[in-house]
Amino acid sequence: MATESVPTAPELLAHVTDLRADADRMDGYARRLRGAATTLDGRAGTPEWTGAALERHAAACATAAAGLRAAAAALLFHATQRPPP
């Protein structure tokens, strides 16, 4: 039978840091996608649907970033509220 180990508060806090970094990265991707949409807007040869597609992807990145931040906040709460082992 496998024994599950319970992560320690420092381990959970490391995950919080990682989640926040991932959220920042996703926000950066959203900014880059929106910048690309702005750059390509109205340029000859750019398909009409490009801006809308890039905006949908940017919105998905922003949504993912918000979810990652919410997960980080919940994990932070859990890590700081539980009694020490």
Side-chain angles (χ1 to χ4, degrees):
M1 183 162 110
T3 304
E4 284 189 39
S5 64
V6 177
T8 64
E11 290 170 330
L12 293 175
L13 293 175
H15 288 297
V16 169
T17 300
D18 291 343
L19 287 167
R20 287 177 176 163
D22 289 344
D24 290 344
R25 198 171 2 269
M26 293 305 290
D27 277 335
Y29 295 148
R31 280 191 301 277
R32 288 172 60 189
L33 287 163
R34 288 186 174 114
T38 299
T39 299
L40 294 173
D41 186 39
R43 286 185 105 169
T46 301
E48 215 174 278
W49 49 263
T50 302
L54 289 170
E55 180 51 42
R56 281 192 306 275
H57 287 290
C61 289
T63 298
L68 288 164
R69 284 196 178 82
L75 191 55
L76 178 61
F77 178 80
H78 179 70
T80 58
Q81 296 302 310
R82 63 189 233 179

